Amino acid sequence: YNVTWTTPGQTDRAAMPLGNGEVGVSLWVQADGEVHLYIARTDARTECDRSVKLGKVRLKFLPAAHLPAGCFRQTLVLRDGRIDLRWGDDGAPVASLQVFVDAEQPILYVTGSFAQPATVQADYQTWRTAPRQDAPANSTETATLTGAVETADVVQAADAGILFYHQNGPTIIPFLSELQAVNPIAARIPDCLSGRVFGGLMSMEGAVPAGPCGLVTAQPVNAFTLQITTHSAQVADVEEWLAAIHRLRAATPPVATALAARRSGGVT
């Protein structure tokens, strides 16, 4: 049974879920045609042991006037693991989008087409813009006692698009080891926080930078594909993580190949 909505959702309280078991997405559409996506990973954990989202992407199309809110359809295609968005009549849609996460890679795709050329703009947003010392761990009191600080995210333009990541600083692990009186065996307890870096690389063919956190097509287009490659790993140096995410981006399968694999349940 495919879930279908015929009105935009307005806020994240009306988000549809999407993912591949490692990467998770919450998507909703506003009345003006803007598509909003929260992006998460199962292994995105800060130095305070918080499970956090990678950030939010806002996708808008100009001019927006030709996306009629009164003739809208959003469908979660369960068997294919895909969300379809359509504006306009069934026979001649004004715009149609497909959103899915690759079955075997940590990559989100948003691909679409328009009856009339439109400008596509994708903006990345993060709320971790400054160091935060009061980030709750197991409790607010614990975080205060540890003195652990959640570092700010890094967001910057890259050759392939917009790069964003969170690099864990000193973690709460030493404090918790002492609190739980396990210092003598602390080295034998798995530590999934120290040295962890998580984030993504957002790219769109034919796009140019739009401010420090955005991409926009250089001219109106009839079709587009936005790709967000995500990665999380414990590394000795952030350069190791950067090299890995660029390798993942370079090996990204074409959208048609990824969609076919998604439809077949991930078998390639």
Side-chain angles (χ1 to χ4, degrees):
Y1 177 77
N2 294 333
V3 179
T4 298
W5 297 341
T6 56
T7 56
Q10 295 301 324
T11 74
D12 59 358
R13 299 299 87 187
M16 270 188 177
L18 200 62
N20 67 355
E22 180 179 50
V23 178
V25 177
S26 295
L27 177 152
W28 72 97
V29 182
Q30 300 195 159
D32 58 4
E34 283 193 1
V35 179
H36 292 242
L37 307 110
Y38 281 137
I39 306 170
R41 283 184 60 100
T42 57
D43 50 5
R45 305 193 72 89
T46 71
E47 47 268 78
C48 288
D49 199 24
R50 287 203 308 147
S51 177
V52 298
K53 293 179 174 63
L54 301 184
K56 176 184 176 184
V57 171
R58 186 181 69 175
L59 197 60
K60 59 183 178 181
F61 315 105
L62 303 171
H66 71 274
L67 299 180
C71 197
F72 169 78
R73 191 175 182 87
Q74 176 177 333
T75 301
L76 176 60
V77 185
L78 293 172
R79 185 174 295 276
D80 294 347
R82 189 184 74 241
I83 292 177
D84 290 345
L85 304 173
R86 189 180 69 238
W87 289 264
D89 298 332
D90 290 346
V94 172
S96 60
L97 274 68
Q98 293 182 321
V99 186
F100 66 97
V101 179
D102 190 285
E104 299 179 343
Q105 303 293 333
I107 302 168
L108 167 67
Y109 291 86
V110 183
T111 182
S113 60
F114 308 98
Q116 299 179 7
T119 299
V120 181
Q121 182 168 336
D123 294 307
Y124 168 78
Q125 298 175 333
T126 180
W127 34 93
R128 294 181 293 272
T129 57
R132 180 185 178 194
Q133 188 166 0
D134 62 346
N138 298 329
S139 69
T140 303
E141 292 77 12
T142 300
T144 303
L145 287 171
T146 64
V149 176
E150 270 188 2
T151 56
D153 287 3
V154 175
V155 184
Q156 60 190 35
D159 292 341
I162 301 298
L163 179 71
F164 54 91
Y165 63 89
H166 181 92
Q167 180 180 10
N168 281 357
T171 74
I172 64 172
I173 296 297
F175 171 81
L176 294 181
S177 296
E178 183 175 350
L179 181 68
Q180 301 297 332
V182 295
N183 277 340
I185 60 170
R188 290 153 49 192
I189 300 174
D191 172 5
C192 66
L193 303 181
S194 298
R196 182 164 296 281
V197 182
F198 54 85
L201 177 58
M202 181 174 73
S203 57
M204 182 165 55
E205 186 175 353
V208 296
C213 304
L215 298 171
V216 63
T217 53
Q219 59 187 11
V221 296
N222 285 104
F224 77 97
T225 297
L226 176 75
Q227 298 179 16
I228 303 173
T229 304
T230 73
H231 183 48
S232 177
Q234 289 180 274
V235 293
D237 187 270
V238 70
E239 294 299 326
E240 182 181 342
W241 185 89
L242 292 171
I245 197 167
H246 281 288
R247 285 195 301 270
L248 278 170
R249 173 65 186 90
T252 299
V255 63
T257 302
L259 186 56
R262 179 81 267 185
R263 286 171 175 160
S264 63
V267 178
T268 58

